Amino acid sequence: CIDSFYIQGSDIITILSKSTILSDTKRLIKETALNLIGTEISEEFSNRITIRILVDPIKFPLAKLIKRIYILVSSMHTDAMKSFQDCDEVLAEDVINREKEVSKLYFLMLRQLNLSLNHRLNIEDICTSTFKIDCVLGVILARELSKMAHYATEIAKQSIRLKDINIEPGLKEGLMIMSRFISKMQQNAILAFFKEDFLRANKILNSTQQIIECNLKSENKILKTIKNVNITLDLITISRSLRNI
């Protein structure tokens, strides 16, 4: 409910209980507030907690939010695959932790767009003169970027599971080639969006079939090479997460 009211554009959220709020519940409320940009606990009583949202919408233009989320998502993808290649558990854990930062920016972007849709914020105030965005399109864009972060996190989780497994270099390299191609697609997609470059966008769309074929080729090789069911599933999860990105 706290996340929902934040996204809808509430400035004050009050949690009121008929009885004393348990300490574990208070801790959960505070943790939830900490995971939202610009929130603070302004009042705390035995049966009531008030959260204020102090974020200034004008200071968070949509273009900057989109770029910031993209940079985070792109780095998560790159580092997740590097952790897989190098069996680096510390780097994989770092990728997993970064998903929280993406969620914070994602919720803030949804809040900005909702304020605009509800006419509580003029869209011109959070869009530069050279960059205009339709609110509904913005919601879709924010969702897709957030999903990319989720799949990068999935890759990092599988990397941790596979860190002590000796995987054939050819299998790893095949997934790394696929990853590098997808990273380039991500970069071109965000450039196409900001530059309104429809030719670039069409090239990305036309590359989709190539990724599907790479994924199928990778999965077939995994199924033929790996005999352990759990390792097979972990590697296929990485391949499918790349395809989903």
Side-chain angles (χ1 to χ4, degrees):
C1 285
I2 293 169
D3 289 345
S4 179
F5 281 114
Y6 177 88
I7 290 168
Q8 288 173 37
S10 297
D11 295 318
I12 300 172
I13 302 168
T14 301
I15 296 102
L16 185 64
S17 174
K18 291 178 181 179
S19 57
T20 301
I21 300 173
L22 299 174
S23 58
D24 283 349
T25 306
K26 281 190 175 183
R27 179 181 52 78
L28 183 60
I29 290 167
K30 289 174 183 178
E31 285 177 1
T32 304
L34 280 172
N35 286 326
L36 299 168
I37 293 172
T39 61
E40 69 168 25
I41 305 293
S42 62
E43 291 180 345
E44 183 177 343
F45 298 96
S46 62
N47 67 334
R48 187 174 82 244
I49 295 178
T50 300
I51 301 168
R52 287 185 181 273
I53 294 93
L54 306 173
V55 64
D56 182 357
I58 309 301
K59 291 184 178 179
F60 291 91
L62 285 176
K64 286 187 177 180
L65 277 176
I66 293 166
K67 286 176 183 176
R68 178 63 184 142
I69 295 172
Y70 164 72
I71 290 167
L72 265 172
V73 167
S74 179
S75 71
M76 285 175 70
H77 171 184
T78 301
D79 288 346
M81 289 305 294
K82 190 174 188 302
S83 73
F84 167 65
Q85 188 176 37
D86 300 340
C87 301
D88 189 337
E89 185 177 0
V90 174
L91 183 58
E93 291 285 0
D94 183 52
V95 171
I96 293 166
N97 291 333
R98 263 181 264 172
E99 190 178 16
K100 291 180 182 177
E101 294 304 313
V102 174
S103 293
K104 285 182 180 181
L105 293 167
Y106 171 58
F107 282 173
L108 178 59
M109 187 171 168
L110 291 182
R111 177 181 170 84
Q112 297 282 72
L113 291 163
N114 264 308
L115 286 170
S116 301
L117 285 167
N118 295 328
H119 307 293
R120 291 176 56 199
L121 175 67
N122 193 335
I123 191 69
E124 278 74 24
D125 291 336
I126 53 172
C127 288
T128 62
S129 57
T130 55
F131 175 79
K132 298 295 178 188
I133 182 171
D134 175 83
C135 288
V136 176
L137 180 64
V139 171
I140 295 168
L141 178 65
R143 183 196 66 188
E144 295 304 321
L145 285 168
S146 178
K147 282 163 66 177
M148 287 185 192
H150 167 74
Y151 290 121
T153 302
E154 279 298 307
I155 293 169
K157 287 177 180 177
Q158 303 311 315
S159 299
I160 293 172
R161 287 168 59 89
L162 294 165
K163 65 183 174 65
D164 297 322
I165 307 298
N166 187 22
I167 297 165
E168 184 192 328
L171 277 177
K172 277 194 172 183
E173 185 54 29
L175 290 168
M176 292 304 298
I177 289 168
M178 186 173 161
S179 171
R180 287 191 286 269
F181 186 82
I182 291 166
S183 290
K184 195 68 179 174
M185 286 177 71
Q186 281 181 293
Q187 185 181 3
N188 281 321
I190 208 75
L191 282 171
F193 178 78
F194 279 109
K195 293 179 179 294
E196 295 186 337
D197 187 339
F198 304 115
L199 288 175
R200 190 190 294 263
N202 275 319
K203 284 180 181 178
I204 297 159
L205 293 173
N206 291 335
S207 299
T208 307
Q209 187 57 40
Q210 191 172 339
I211 292 300
I212 292 169
E213 289 170 4
C214 281
N215 174 238
L216 289 172
K217 184 179 177 182
S218 175
E219 287 189 11
N220 285 333
K221 191 171 182 181
I222 291 165
L223 289 167
K224 288 177 181 177
T225 308
I226 307 295
K227 302 303 178 185
N228 184 293
V229 175
N230 290 327
I231 297 171
T232 298
L233 288 172
D234 291 341
L235 288 169
I236 285 176
T237 299
I238 291 174
S239 185
R240 290 189 180 177
S241 293
L242 285 170
R243 185 185 69 183
N244 288 332
I245 289 172

